[in-house]
Amino acid sequence: MKWLRSLWTGRIDRHTPKLSVPTAPPRPRLALEALEDRCLLSNGISVFSVPVTPPTTFAGPLGITAGPDGNLWFTDQVSGSAGKITPAGVVTEYPTSIKDASGDAPLISHNIVTGPDGNLWFTNYKSTFQHTGFPRLVSQSEVVKVTPAGVVTEFKLPDATSGPLGIAVGTDGKLWFTESRANKIGSITTDGTIQEFAVPPIDNGQSNPFTVLDIITGPDGNLWYTEIGSKVGRITTKGASLGEVSLSAPARGITAGPDGNVWITETNGPGFDTTANAIGRITPAGTLTEFKSFLTPGVAPDGITTGPDGDLWFTEEINLGPTLIGSIRPDGGFNAELTVPADGGTSYPSITNGPRGTLWFTEFFRGNIGVVHNYVGTLFQNVLGRPASQGDQNYWNNVRGQSGQAAVANGIQGSDEAHTHLVNGGYQTYLGRTAEAGGLQFFVNLLRTATEEQALARLFASPEYYTHAPTVPGVGGGTPSDTTYIQGLFQQLLGRAARADELPYWQAQVGTQGRAAVALLVQGSDEYRRDSIQDAYRTLLHRTGPASQAEVNYWMSLNLDHQRLKVAFEQTEEFLSNG
């Protein structure tokens, strides 16, 4: 694992057990062919419970978005708060000034976005009727800004009864929001200047006080909004109406697609007539195409977003059943569905993109936030130091579908790109310079058949490293010699100096076996291998504390070389959740 320490985090403290020398087994190579079929990017789902904020009796996460700080930010509709959840599932909430000590009136925080100023913005209002019926009495409507540090600023709307819901960033740098009880679209600058624009009258039925619901900036630069009356409307950033598109059922979720169109979910809701439920695609010209044949009967599609793989991902809710997460391609082809195991009850799930190609979603009535893991995206970030492109996602997900997860990890770890990344880091770490073209290609070619240990031993055996060793921190300078060479190896591979009682043995080994053999012997020692395993827990699984002795012993017993050890770690559930 130490082959290219610069690709991992810094050196850890180490003890010095006796050195022993196992032999590393040969590394298998993989032949991969291009595949036709597509499959979902997911390889697992994790769910986290949101803590209850008194005086409320349960949590109600609703809107969710990726924050500028690497965390996910959400609204808690029940407590009227914004919250953040780390990729590891640690939740912190930031309340607003709207209070209700009895807990009888919900403080309805709805959608949330990252603004152009790097802060989080969400809509918020207070209403009567907590869980049953339509809340008819609204007060204290506002748009709220919260910094990544948790500083909350509230901007009261001119109409306290307007009930803001959706919010989006416009192409003009303003935040645009819907006023669900006032039949208006509003905008607010980052310094709090508010404008409002009336939209065409909406037939919402006498029993339903809502009018406009969600809002996005479309691929055409205009604002697209959903209406309770089975329509989608559009206005410019100057407030001019561009007309409406009629739907088969009320729109629930809306997003800008990767194909230049707007995508929506259409549903009457779980427990109602679901024959009109559909995933809709609307062109900038207003042409609607609805896809519904693949939807499970009785299931209501809800939130929708463009995923990291270039497909459309949507949540589905079942009355007294689990949340489902589905995926549809821009051409309308259905991929598959994932089930989120949970107790019964509708969930009103939202969905958004997260770090490392993940998808995050909320489950309102269950009080949960979940994540759909992206195995390929996580591997690309860890191994190659870059995001996976849509083409990368498609190719490697197809490999996983045909050959399994290990084939993906082996293929990416054994790619020339990974080896280039590895060698470049090795030159910087061990020689203190950038790799020249010839040297880079030599080691990349070598790594196609050799283990990482063998390649690193070749680098350590070079005359350049022998000359460089006295300058390694901790060696202490001096004229290049077998002693400085050994001390350089110990400092860079074991994180310590060779003891006086160890030096004669290693000096003799240099003389009889050569520098490359000595580098291999050190890498094969128990001390080095145990440190490598601890490094894997820290850098691949992001453990904050050391692995247990039992865990280390388990991995030691497998006697894996560097690449096979990394691939094995990358098969674990812990890597999928925390990698």
Side-chain angles (χ1 to χ4, degrees), residues 41-387:
L41 62 79
S42 167
N43 198 61
I45 294 175
S46 298
V47 177
F48 307 100
S49 294
V50 176
V52 175
T53 302
T56 59
T57 57
F58 75 100
L62 192 62
I64 189 166
T65 193
D69 55 353
N71 298 310
L72 282 299
W73 287 74
F74 64 94
T75 56
D76 186 337
Q77 190 182 53
V78 179
S79 65
S81 303
K84 70 178 178 184
I85 180 169
T86 69
V90 179
V91 174
T92 306
E93 291 204 14
Y94 304 96
T96 64
S97 65
I98 299 180
K99 303 294 182 184
D100 187 87
S102 69
D104 291 334
L107 315 174
I108 299 184
S109 298
H110 208 271
N111 283 9
I112 186 168
V113 295
T114 296
D117 57 350
N119 296 311
L120 289 306
W121 291 76
F122 66 99
T123 55
N124 195 35
Y125 66 89
K126 182 178 177 181
S127 149
T128 57
F129 297 104
Q130 189 163 4
H131 308 308
T132 59
F134 288 111
R136 287 175 170 78
L137 301 178
V138 173
S139 62
Q140 302 185 56
S141 297
E142 62 184 16
V143 173
V144 184
K145 176 181 73 174
V146 57
T147 69
V151 178
V152 174
T153 305
E154 298 167 71
F155 300 94
K156 305 298 182 182
L157 299 186
D159 181 354
T161 67
S162 63
L165 291 179
I167 189 167
V169 178
T171 56
D172 56 354
K174 299 178 182 177
L175 286 302
W176 287 76
F177 55 92
T178 60
E179 295 183 83
S180 67
R181 308 304 185 86
N183 206 46
K184 293 179 181 178
I185 304 293
S187 71
I188 182 171
T189 63
T190 54
D191 62 3
T193 302
I194 295 170
Q195 284 184 287
E196 296 175 308
F197 306 92
V199 296
I202 295 171
D203 180 13
N204 58 353
Q206 293 184 351
S207 64
N208 192 333
F210 293 106
T211 55
V212 288
L213 302 176
D214 207 352
I215 189 169
I216 63 162
T217 292
D220 59 353
N222 295 306
L223 286 308
W224 294 68
Y225 59 91
T226 59
E227 305 175 7
I228 196 65
S230 302
K231 291 182 179 180
V232 171
R234 179 169 39 162
I235 64 170
T236 69
T237 54
K238 302 297 184 183
S241 175
L242 298 176
E244 299 167 311
V245 178
S246 295
L247 313 173
S248 298
R252 184 72 69 87
I254 184 168
T255 194
D259 54 352
N261 298 311
V262 169
W263 287 76
I264 55 171
T265 55
E266 301 175 61
T267 182
N268 288 303
F272 296 91
D273 176 20
T274 59
T275 58
N277 289 355
I279 306 298
R281 181 181 67 202
I282 307 174
T283 68
T287 301
L288 171 68
T289 304
E290 295 175 317
F291 307 96
K292 58 178 65 178
S293 61
F294 53 82
L295 293 176
T296 303
V299 174
D302 202 320
I304 188 168
T305 193
T306 297
D309 55 354
D311 292 335
L312 284 303
W313 285 75
F314 55 93
T315 57
E316 303 172 88
E317 52 180 317
I318 307 173
N319 199 26
L320 302 180
T323 298
L324 301 177
I325 297 176
S327 175
I328 182 175
R329 299 190 294 273
D331 63 5
F334 181 61
N335 287 322
E337 286 177 331
L338 306 171
T339 300
V340 182
D343 296 330
T346 52
S347 56
Y348 296 130
S350 300
I351 190 166
T352 193
N353 286 283
R356 300 192 306 274
T358 54
L359 289 162
W360 288 72
F361 59 93
T362 59
E363 295 184 292
F364 173 67
F365 278 117
R366 297 185 183 121
N368 292 336
I369 294 177
V371 55
V372 180
H373 299 289
N374 182 345
Y375 185 65
V376 171
T378 301
L379 278 177
F380 265 63
Q381 288 288 2
N382 276 281
V383 178
L384 306 180
R386 68 171 178 87

Side-chain angles (χ1 to χ4, degrees), residues 493-547:
L493 294 179
L494 303 179
R496 66 174 179 88
R499 299 189 306 268
D501 61 326
E502 294 173 312
L503 278 173
Y505 170 80
W506 290 106
Q507 288 167 336
Q509 297 306 309
V510 171
T512 58
Q513 298 193 56
R515 295 196 296 268
V518 168
L520 277 173
L521 288 171
V522 174
Q523 290 180 85
S525 68
D526 281 356
E527 179 178 354
Y528 178 84
R529 293 173 61 230
R530 289 182 185 279
D531 288 346
S532 295
I533 291 165
Q534 291 287 4
D535 276 352
Y537 273 97
R538 183 167 50 88
T539 59
L540 291 178
L541 305 187
H542 295 106
R543 289 269 189 99
T544 56

